[in-house]
Amino acid sequence: MRRRSPRRLLGVLAAVTVAFTLFSSATTAGAADTATSASPGTSTAAVQPLSTSTPVVFVHGYTGNASNWVTGMSVFQLNGWSSSSLFAYEYNSYGNNVTNAQGLATFVNNVKARTGASKVAIVNHSMGGLVSQYYLKVLGGNTSVSHLASIAGANHGTTFASACLVYVTCQQMYPGSSFISQITSGDETPGDTKYATWYSACDGVIIPYTSTRLTGATNNNVLCQTHIGFLADTVVLGQIARFVAS
């Protein structure tokens, strides 16, 4: 029998390693303000299939779109969701986040009507945090949302928005804006909705990076992940899938 060359054996080993990384996920996120110990993009445990009937609505960030959630939706499907239960809401990044939140309210109602579900879960990123928080708190959307997961959300604003203040959405995203005051005054996590956030000191766009944290939520400190890197982090996305299934 012909022996395989060392180079070919190494290639097979590398392929197996990549496959294991893509189809595995870290364990469920821990208590509030805990650090995620696994390195971003790696995994420590095999995916355990979950069963849930909760539709999930993904809300992108500034200048984003539905394509931001390709990896996120794949991870949710690996964890037991059907593609017909996963939805991406798109909005105008340069308009007004009040209008964007109103559009989210309509979108959620349409998802509920389409799926027959009484509530949905929302997973947001970056400025999507502002849109989601306004919907839940100011527009009373918390009664239609079972879980809210905020990934690097600009929930208390970011000074990075100073680079685009020509747009209303960026004015609203700047710390201390009247919009930020509306969604942060009093109870930041209203209703029976379960809230969780994921944030990192390596973010680079949410400044300060702790802006993502919400009082009353399970706040998960990821050791080091970039703002855009979160969207492809299968470890964090796997944790979020488990949070939504809780």
Side-chain angles (χ1 to χ4, degrees):
M1 178 182 294
R2 187 173 64 181
R3 297 181 61 186
R4 294 182 177 180
S5 68
R7 179 176 295 178
R8 182 166 184 174
L9 288 174
L10 287 173
V12 172
L13 179 59
V16 171
T17 301
V18 171
F20 180 77
T21 299
L22 289 175
F23 289 92
S24 58
S25 158
T27 54
T28 307
D33 294 311
T34 57
T36 299
S37 57
S39 299
T42 62
S43 56
T44 59
V47 168
Q48 298 298 317
L50 302 174
S51 177
T52 178
S53 59
T54 305
V56 182
V57 174
F58 296 88
V59 185
H60 65 77
Y62 180 69
T63 73
N65 54 54
S67 67
N68 293 164
W69 300 110
V70 170
T71 301
M73 289 187 177
S74 295
V75 169
F76 268 74
Q77 289 182 65
L78 284 173
N79 280 278
W81 273 263
S82 67
S83 59
S84 60
S85 295
L86 303 174
F87 303 86
Y89 170 61
E90 293 190 326
Y91 61 87
N92 180 7
S93 291
Y94 312 105
N96 189 311
N97 280 322
V98 172
T99 302
N100 294 334
Q102 292 168 342
L104 177 58
T106 299
F107 190 85
V108 168
N109 287 337
N110 289 339
V111 169
K112 289 167 57 181
R114 179 174 173 177
T115 62
S118 59
K119 293 186 177 184
V120 306
I122 288 180
V123 178
N124 66 57
H125 177 248
S126 193
M127 193 172 76
L130 300 187
V131 177
S132 302
Q133 288 300 108
Y134 194 93
Y135 165 55
L136 266 71
K137 181 170 182 175
V138 181
L139 302 182
N142 63 83
T143 59
S144 293
V145 179
S146 63
H147 297 73
L148 185 286
S150 186
I151 308 171
N155 299 323
H156 292 88
T158 172
T159 57
F160 196 84
S162 62
C164 56
L165 290 177
V166 64
Y167 300 114
V168 173
T169 48
C170 289
Q171 295 170 18
Q172 295 169 328
M173 190 163 45
Y174 197 81
S177 70
S178 59
F179 186 95
I180 295 291
S181 296
Q182 276 188 285
I183 64 175
T184 59
S185 63
D187 189 359
E188 292 187 344
T189 53
D192 296 327
T193 304
K194 293 182 180 180
Y195 296 79
T197 72
W198 281 259
Y199 64 103
S200 175
C202 298
D203 185 296
V205 172
I206 302 302
I207 304 171
Y209 72 95
T210 52
S211 172
T212 297
R213 298 186 305 195
L214 293 170
T215 301
T218 299
N219 297 298
N220 300 281
N221 183 7
V222 179
L223 292 183
C224 193
Q225 184 54 278
T226 64
H227 191 67
I228 299 301
F230 269 115
L231 294 173
D233 191 327
T234 57
V235 172
V236 168
L237 293 167
Q239 292 173 356
I240 293 171
R242 284 166 170 71
F243 165 68
V244 172
S246 67

